[in-house]
């Protein structure tokens, strides 16, 4: 009986040790005190390169979350289409990429509380005959692969009319070269692209309004709770608003 007991104890100890590794003192399932964020750094003002550094709203919010959790932030740049997979496989702890909360994505990952709002808008050449969303019917529409803009455009106007690009700026480049008639993309990156390229404008009619949130592996509810707690504190003390104001100029 005694032997049985010590065997059980030894086993319990081994299990505890196994579960323990890879966790921080706070019990988070992140490795070595580093919080890794997956993103696609071609989405200004949410994430973009300044020299070799990735900056922007998401980078700063993630940095503030990491600080609150006592972790060091590491940002991994990848195609937008790979972010959810990298969170699912545990390559990254979370994804922040101006990512819209959708029911389809919720099947694959969890979302934190929302920290910003986005609007899908339409960019066209200044002299375009496209004046409303309905005018997009039968036109060639450029989108960023696997984004909500891509999904809505395929649903509403047919996949055969939608050209998918890996990066938002590739879609905008194709528009400036006359290869496509319009680009559907989130409003803040759209403003950046129109400012950086001559002869483009954003349609006044907004296409779809959405919520942005961080995505986290479904099994890591501990991290989800910690991120939500950090986000609520950062909202309450004005940090999130200050970050948004820094990057988004009021009109
Ligand atoms: N908000 C859009 C989405 O989640 C686009 C995000 C992005 O391109 N980074 O699909």
């Amino acid at each position: 009986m005694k032997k049985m007991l010590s065997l059980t104890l030894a086993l319990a100890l081994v299990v505890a040790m196994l579960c323990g590794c890879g966790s921080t003192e706070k019990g988070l399932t992140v490795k070595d005190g580093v919080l890794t964020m997956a993103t696609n750094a071609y989405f200004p003002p949410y994430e973009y390169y300044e020299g070799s550094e990735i900056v922007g709203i998401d980078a700063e919010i993630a940095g503030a979350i990491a600080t609150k959790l006592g972790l060091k932030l590491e940002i991994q740049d990848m195609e937008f289409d790979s972010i959810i997979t990298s969170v699912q496989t545990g390559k990254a702890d979370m994804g922040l990429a101006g990512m819209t909360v959708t029911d389809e994505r919720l099947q694959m990952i969890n979302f934190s509380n929302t920290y910003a709002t986005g609007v899908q808008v339409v960019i066209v050449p200044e002299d375009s005959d496209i004046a409303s969303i309905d005018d997009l019917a039968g036109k060639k529409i450029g989108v960023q692969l696997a984004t909500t803009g891509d999904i809505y455009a395929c649903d509403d106007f047919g996949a055969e009319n939608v050209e998918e690009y890996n990066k938002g700026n590739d879609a905008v480049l194709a528009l400036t070269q006359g290869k496509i008639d319009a680009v559907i993309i989130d409003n803040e990156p759209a403003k950046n692209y129109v400012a950086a390229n001559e002869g483009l404008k954003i349609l006044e009619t907004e296409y779809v309004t959405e919520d942005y949130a961080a995505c986290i592996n479904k099994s890591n509810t501990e991290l989800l709770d910690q991120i939500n707690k950090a986000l609520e504190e950062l909202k309450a003390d004005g940090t999130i608003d200050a970050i948004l104001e820094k990057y988004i100029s009021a009109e």
Side-chain angles (χ1 to χ4, degrees), residues 212-233:
Y212 291 164
C215 67
I216 299 128
N217 191 297
K218 269 193 184 291
S219 64
N220 204 349
T221 51
E222 172 95 36
L223 182 61
L224 175 70
D225 291 345
Q226 299 272 357
I227 289 176
N228 277 337
K229 186 166 168 273
L231 275 174
E232 289 320 307
E233 287 171 12

Side-chain angles (χ1 to χ4, degrees), residues 5 63 82 101 103-104 108 114 120 127 131 133 150 158 166 216-217 220 232-233 239 248:
L5 211 90
S82 305
V101 178
D103 289 340
E104 290 74 16
M108 298 180 273
T114 170
Q120 294 296 312
D127 59 359
I133 306 293
D150 185 9
N166 272 327
I216 299 128
N217 191 297
N220 204 349
E232 289 320 307
E233 287 171 12
T239 305
I248 299 176

Side-chain angles (χ1 to χ4, degrees), residues 39-43 46-47 58 80 83 96-102 105 111 118-120 144-152 166 168 185-186 189 210-212:
T39 198
N40 173 249
Y42 295 88
F43 201 66
Y46 291 93
E47 38 269 327
D58 288 336
F80 182 77
I83 297 171
L96 264 85
M99 190 181 280
T100 305
V101 178
T102 71
R105 289 175 182 162
F111 276 110
V119 184
Q120 294 296 312
Q144 191 185 354
L145 179 68
T147 58
T148 47
D150 185 9
I151 298 159
Y152 305 143
N166 272 327
I185 198 158
D186 305 49
E210 11 186 70
D211 289 326
Y212 291 164

Side-chain angles (χ1 to χ4, degrees), residues 103-121:
D103 289 340
E104 290 74 16
R105 289 175 182 162
L106 276 167
Q107 309 288 315
M108 298 180 273
I109 33 87
N110 278 333
F111 276 110
S112 70
N113 296 340
T114 170
Y115 60 83
T117 307
V119 184
Q120 294 296 312
V121 296

Side-chain angles (χ1 to χ4, degrees), residues 13 29 41 65 76 84 89 130 136 143 155 164 175 213 231 241:
L13 205 75
T29 46
I65 292 172
Q76 298 175 352
I84 288 183
T89 55
I130 300 170
L136 288 172
V143 294
D155 282 353
E164 294 163 322
L175 183 64
L231 275 174
D241 276 346

